[in-house]
Amino acid sequence: QVQLAESGGGSVQAGGSLRLSCGVSGYTYNRHCMGWSRQAPGKEREGVAFIYTGGSTTYVADSVKGRFTISQDNGKKTVHLQMNSLKPEDTAMYYCAVTPGCAVVGGRAVYHGSPYWGEGTLVTISS
């Protein structure tokens, strides 16, 4: 059974930092894509960042580029999202996903196959 364990959400003031972590267990693909998406109230889910463990390809959305960094542990079963210079518009539920492949289409993250999703961790940025 695939399980995703997310941690690191919370509340900070604008300009602050948070680090989200996501560990996956029970996933049998050696090469896979892990990433983060977010969904704010009343908005569609937005792909924020992903990393493909097959070649260490990374993607970061334009809306967070230069502020967010995605990385993985050497074992490739845990990814981290370092979020700096946070803004109130970054407030959302952040979800971790794992899937066999991913790509950037039209500047947006696309997950191939049937991704597994975590339950989400809430990030709240106050002005």
Side-chain angles (χ1 to χ4, degrees):
Q1 182 179 359
V2 177
Q3 290 186 325
L4 292 161
E6 301 149 320
S7 62
S11 299
V12 297
Q13 289 188 328
S17 298
L18 287 171
R19 179 178 168 91
L20 306 183
S21 296
C22 175
V24 62
S25 59
Y27 198 73
T28 58
Y29 289 93
N30 287 330
R31 298 181 178 184
H32 53 271
C33 187
M34 291 187 70
W36 291 92
S37 295
R38 68 185 181 184
Q39 189 165 19
K43 295 187 176 181
E44 293 186 353
R45 189 171 292 193
E46 170 193 21
V48 176
F50 68 65
I51 186 164
Y52 178 62
T53 61
S56 296
T57 301
T58 61
Y59 160 83
V60 178
D62 286 344
S63 58
V64 302
K65 195 166 291 182
R67 300 188 296 120
F68 290 14
T69 304
I70 189 167
S71 61
Q72 65 185 32
D73 287 352
N74 287 336
K76 301 180 179 179
K77 295 295 186 181
T78 300
V79 293
H80 308 283
L81 186 68
Q82 179 65 43
M83 307 186 296
N84 299 327
S85 302
L86 284 160
K87 303 176 181 180
E89 51 263 43
D90 294 320
T91 294
M93 187 70 80
Y94 284 70
Y95 298 92
C96 178
V98 62
T99 191
C102 46
V104 180
V105 179
R108 299 168 68 91
V110 174
Y111 292 140
H112 299 307
S114 298
Y116 292 90
W117 293 95
E119 294 185 351
T121 184
L122 182 62
V123 171
T124 303
I125 312 303
S126 58
S127 58

